[in-house]
Amino acid sequence: MTSGEVAPLPLIPRLRAKLVRALGPTALFLKGFAKHPVMVGALVPSSRRTIDRVLSKVDWEQCRLFVEYGPGVGTFSRPVLQRMRRDARLVVIDTNAEFIGYLSRTIVDPRFSAVHASASDVEAIVAAHGFDHADYVLSGLPFTTLPPGVGQEIMAATHRVLRSGGAFLVYQYTARARALMRRWFDRIDEGYEPINIPPCVISWGWKD
C-alpha cells in the first residue's frame, strides 16, 4: 500500500456495514433490540394494520400535542405526522441515543421533536415544549419487563400530563399491562391485531 492510501476495512466489518446500508432503519431497529431487548420489546417493527388500529381512536382535529414513548426508527412517528394538523406537535421520547439521532436526521418536519430521555420525565418535557398537557400519549414500551417501579412511574406521569378527555394508547404483546393501566385509567378500550409479529394487544386508556 502506497503513502496516502486508505487501508480497506477487514472483511467482517465491511460485510456488517454493507448489511446496515442495505437494511437501513430495520438494521438499526435490530441493533437496538440486540443491545436493549428489555426497552425495545420487539424484534421487528409494528405492521401497518397495527399502526392504523392503534391510531384509529385519535381525534386528529382536536389534537395539538401528541407524545410518543419509544419511537424506535419512527414506525409510528411518520404515520402520526401524516395525520396531524399543520399546527400540532409531535414529541418523541427514547432512552436510546442512536434512535433519537436517527430520527433527528431523517424526519425533517418543524412539528417534530426527538428527546433523549426517560418517559417518566414526560411532564418536564411537555412543559419545555410550551404545553400544559398532552392530548394523546402513545407507547410500545414493554411495561411488564421494565425495571421495578419504572412502569408505575411512567403510568402515573402519563396520567398527570394528559388533558381531560385525552388517551394513553398502549400496544403490547400480552394483556398484562392492562392491569397496571387500571390503577390510573378507569375506562380502557381493548383491541387486538393478529396481523403483527407477534400479534398485538392494544389498549386505549381514557382520562375522564
Side-chain angles (χ1 to χ4, degrees):
M1 183 173 64
T2 61
S3 176
E5 289 183 338
V6 178
L9 284 171
L11 179 59
I12 297 301
R14 275 190 292 148
L15 291 174
R16 185 183 299 119
K18 185 175 182 180
L19 179 62
V20 168
R21 288 194 298 271
L23 293 177
T26 302
L28 183 61
F29 190 92
L30 292 172
K31 181 181 178 182
F33 179 84
K35 290 177 66 175
H36 307 287
V38 170
M39 298 303 295
V40 176
L43 188 58
V44 295
S46 299
S47 70
R48 172 59 63 176
R49 285 176 61 102
T50 297
I51 294 167
D52 291 343
R53 187 78 183 277
V54 171
L55 299 179
S56 64
K57 293 180 180 287
V58 175
D59 183 346
W60 297 104
E61 186 60 30
Q62 299 301 318
C63 179
R64 297 297 184 275
L65 177 62
F66 195 106
V67 176
E68 181 183 2
Y69 302 154
V73 295
T75 304
F76 273 88
S77 304
R78 291 175 177 84
V80 168
L81 287 167
Q82 290 169 2
R83 291 164 168 80
M84 276 177 26
R85 292 169 53 112
R86 292 184 179 180
D87 59 350
R89 292 289 300 276
L90 168 61
V91 176
V92 303
I93 305 169
D94 207 307
T95 57
N96 187 316
E98 290 186 84
F99 286 158
I100 292 299
Y102 172 80
L103 293 173
S104 298
R105 292 191 305 271
T106 59
I107 297 182
V108 183
D109 190 315
R111 300 171 299 167
F112 178 78
S113 298
V115 181
H116 181 215
S118 168
S120 60
D121 298 325
V122 62
E123 292 167 284
I125 293 168
V126 165
H129 284 79
F131 291 87
D132 296 325
H133 58 255
D135 297 291
Y136 297 91
V137 178
L138 168 68
S139 175
L141 297 177
F143 281 99
T144 55
T145 60
L146 293 178
V150 173
Q152 290 90 330
E153 290 178 12
I154 293 173
M155 286 284 183
T158 301
H159 188 269
R160 290 193 300 266
V161 83
L162 278 170
R163 67 167 170 83
S164 178
F168 188 25
L169 289 57
V170 177
Y171 59 99
Q172 303 272 281
Y173 305 108
T174 73
R176 288 180 292 175
R178 284 183 186 151
L180 184 60
M181 290 182 70
R182 288 192 178 98
R183 293 182 56 183
W184 287 274
F185 297 92
D186 294 329
R187 180 163 63 98
I188 298 176
D189 294 339
E190 301 179 0
Y192 181 74
E193 178 49 61
I195 310 301
N196 196 77
I197 302 174
C200 190
V201 175
I202 305 167
S203 302
W204 299 269
W206 298 92
K207 184 175 179 178
D208 294 324

